[in-house]
Amino acid sequence: MEHGLLEVSNVIIGEFLILLLIGVISWLAANKFNKPYTIFLVIIGLLIGLMNIDFLDKIADLFTKSETFSLIVLSLFLPSLLGEASMRFEYKEIKKYKNEILSLALLGTFITFVLVAVALIYICKLPVVVSFTIASLMCATDPISVMGMFKIYNVKKSIAASLEGESLFNDGIAVVFFKISTVFLLSYINMGLSGIGAGILLFFKVVLIGAVMGLILGFLASYMISFVDNYPLETMVSFLLFYGSYLLSEHFHGSGVIAVVIGGIVFGNYGKKIGMSAVTEDYIASFWDIVSFVGNTILFLLIGLVVYRLDVFSNWKVSLITILIVLIARTIAVNISLLNIKTFTNNEKFLINWGGLKGALSIALALTLPADFPYRENILLIVYTNVVFSLLIQGLSIPRVIMYIKHKEKVRQ
């Protein structure tokens, strides 16, 4: 019995090591061609997904047939991906561009969510719950790939900070929308107006619990590292903060994602100020860079393995229509949310719009849908095609968009 269990675990570990090897190859290729490695992960994930490889088939089985396994992966990868990003984001940037960030993250996310859901209901004739679930997955942005290009092409700080800040906060909002859409929406619809009120109250309750939990644990972790100068120990404190804030917030029915983001911002700013040496700061950043790389690699490749089981060609019309719907909804949302913001020109607003890529969060959430969830295969396929389009078409065209906008702004001046 024990021998059999050990053999199975060794096989699974070996298969995950193969996925990491593929991730390293993707990174090397990306480095060679000076492109974001997530773009190469998408390409390779698509290729291996289309190939019928027996040993990779077992990994796909775990995710298509085991909701529990998918939830474990979600709780393993999400805190690390969000914690790493939030820890790097400087509070002074949030303070300076708070109006831009909050407008995009709150109003922009809500408008995108509603527009995508309504369009899917009336254009694609999808059920209400399915439409709102897809909309929640499509309103999260992940501009990690874009940030590197912004630095290379010296894009204005206001644009980069607003886009990155939007991503951090709207991830938490998107997860709350996802939970409401997949668990509570049907009962709210049946309750009528009182159900809408209950849904709004639930939203604020989940967000508030997550924010408070993140603040408390973020400050606590910051004080803990102020008493020592030991980078392995301080790295462990950051590990406990990200995973502890996520799990505790979820336990108390709050948003684990918002808790991680708030806690990471506090730790990366206040904690750095009162308790981190330069050596510790570099070590922690390097550690979470590696963890983030592992998380992105496995998530992007896993979706490729799952998607090849789906009937891609029979659903290509819905996927294509969804891409157009998401692009139009994002455009409307950005322009409305920034209507009273005078920081950006119309060309710069287009760059913010085009730079709102889809990424790991959408994939991770889609994989957690139960096997019997309505239209699950369609949802996975729609998420995958939108992420592929986002990274390959939008991501690869960002340099040209930046150069075009810089030229237009120079001529205008």
Side-chain angles (χ1 to χ4, degrees):
M1 179 77 174
E2 290 182 3
H3 177 73
L5 184 62
L6 179 63
E7 186 177 343
V8 170
S9 65
N10 285 340
V11 169
I12 293 174
I13 291 170
E15 290 166 351
F16 272 97
L17 287 176
I18 291 172
L19 291 182
L20 289 180
L21 174 61
I22 295 171
V24 171
I25 294 170
S26 300
W27 184 87
L28 291 172
N31 192 57
K32 173 73 174 176
F33 295 100
N34 197 28
K35 300 292 182 184
Y37 78 91
T38 49
I39 291 175
F40 282 86
L41 283 176
V42 168
I43 295 171
I44 294 177
L46 179 61
L47 291 175
I48 66 172
L50 293 173
M51 294 184 288
N52 193 3
I53 304 173
D54 289 338
F55 69 88
L56 292 177
D57 215 36
K58 297 173 185 175
I59 298 180
D61 276 334
L62 287 172
F63 285 88
T64 53
K65 297 179 180 178
S66 175
E67 178 188 351
T68 303
F69 198 78
S70 297
L71 287 170
I72 290 172
V73 169
L74 180 67
S75 60
L76 277 176
F77 294 150
L78 263 193
S80 61
L81 292 172
L82 294 167
E84 184 265 339
S86 60
M87 191 172 58
R88 288 188 291 105
F89 200 60
E90 296 183 4
Y91 176 73
K92 64 180 181 181
E93 301 294 345
I94 298 175
K95 188 176 180 181
K96 186 174 182 180
Y97 302 111
K98 62 180 181 298
N99 292 332
E100 293 86 344
I101 292 171
L102 291 177
S103 294
L104 288 167
L106 298 178
L107 182 59
T109 303
F110 178 74
I111 292 172
T112 303
F113 175 65
V114 172
L115 289 179
V116 171
V118 171
L120 290 175
I121 291 169
Y122 288 102
I123 297 175
C124 298
K125 308 299 181 184
L126 292 176
V128 172
V129 173
V130 174
S131 298
F132 276 96
T133 298
I134 294 170
S136 68
L137 296 170
M138 292 297 96
C139 64
T141 59
D142 183 15
I144 294 173
S145 305
V146 176
M147 289 300 113
M149 298 182 198
F150 279 10
K151 291 177 182 178
I152 293 172
Y153 292 95
N154 197 27
V155 172
K156 285 168 61 176
K157 188 67 177 177
S158 58
I159 299 174
S162 298
L163 195 59
E164 189 170 13
E166 176 203 6
S167 171
L168 283 177
F169 290 103
N170 89 344
D171 282 354
I173 304 295
V175 172
V176 176
F177 285 156
F178 178 76
K179 287 184 176 181
I180 292 175
S181 299
T182 55
V183 180
F184 305 106
L185 189 59
L186 270 179
S187 59
Y188 287 163
I189 291 173
N190 295 333
M191 289 168 64
L193 289 176
S194 61
I196 295 174
I200 293 171
L201 284 175
L202 176 68
F203 173 82
F204 285 108
K205 175 189 171 185
V206 170
V207 170
L208 182 62
I209 291 173
V212 171
M213 192 70 69
L215 280 171
I216 293 172
L217 295 179
F219 279 112
L220 178 62
S222 299
Y223 279 117
M224 286 176 68
I225 65 170
S226 68
F227 297 110
V228 295
D229 184 17
N230 183 303
Y231 60 82
L233 181 60
E234 291 171 84
T235 303
M236 181 56 67
V237 170
S238 71
F239 184 91
L240 291 172
L241 169 63
F242 296 158
Y243 285 95
S245 59
Y246 182 87
L247 293 173
L248 276 175
S249 185
E250 291 290 323
H251 176 74
F252 290 106
H253 307 292
S255 170
V257 170
I258 290 176
V260 173
V261 169
I262 299 295
I265 290 173
V266 172
F267 187 76
N269 288 271
Y270 184 68
K272 182 169 71 174
K273 182 181 177 181
I274 69 170
M276 287 189 204
S277 65
V279 173
T280 298
E281 189 179 342
D282 290 341
Y283 188 90
I284 290 178
S286 298
F287 172 82
W288 286 110
D289 278 344
I290 295 170
V291 175
S292 177
F293 171 80
V294 172
N296 270 307
T297 296
I298 292 177
L299 283 174
F300 276 108
L301 295 179
L302 281 175
I303 194 69
L305 292 175
V306 172
V307 164
Y308 88 87
R309 295 163 168 258
L310 310 180
D311 193 354
V312 176
F313 298 105
S314 67
N315 294 296
W316 68 270
K317 288 183 181 179
V318 175
S319 299
L320 181 60
I321 292 171
T322 307
I323 290 172
L324 294 174
I325 289 172
V326 171
L327 287 175
I328 294 169
R330 169 75 180 173
T331 302
I332 294 171
V334 167
N335 282 280
I336 291 178
S337 60
L338 296 178
L339 196 61
N340 296 319
I341 305 292
K342 307 302 180 185
T343 311
F344 310 112
T345 65
N346 288 331
N347 288 326
E348 289 169 344
K349 288 178 183 178
F350 176 77
L351 179 57
I352 292 172
N353 170 29
W354 198 246
L357 308 185
K358 307 295 178 283
L361 179 65
S362 300
I363 291 172
L365 290 175
L367 286 171
T368 66
L369 289 171
D372 59 349
F373 192 84
Y375 291 76
R376 183 180 189 269
E377 291 192 354
N378 298 73
I379 294 171
L380 286 172
L381 183 61
I382 286 169
V383 169
Y384 185 70
T385 51
N386 272 272
V387 170
V388 169
F389 176 87
S390 177
L391 288 173
L392 296 188
I393 305 302
Q394 291 176 248
L396 290 176
S397 63
I398 284 288
R400 291 186 180 182
V401 173
I402 293 172
M403 297 308 294
Y404 174 77
I405 288 174
K406 282 194 169 187
H407 173 73
K408 295 285 287 185
E409 291 298 312
K410 189 175 181 181
V411 170
R412 191 173 66 88
Q413 293 172 358

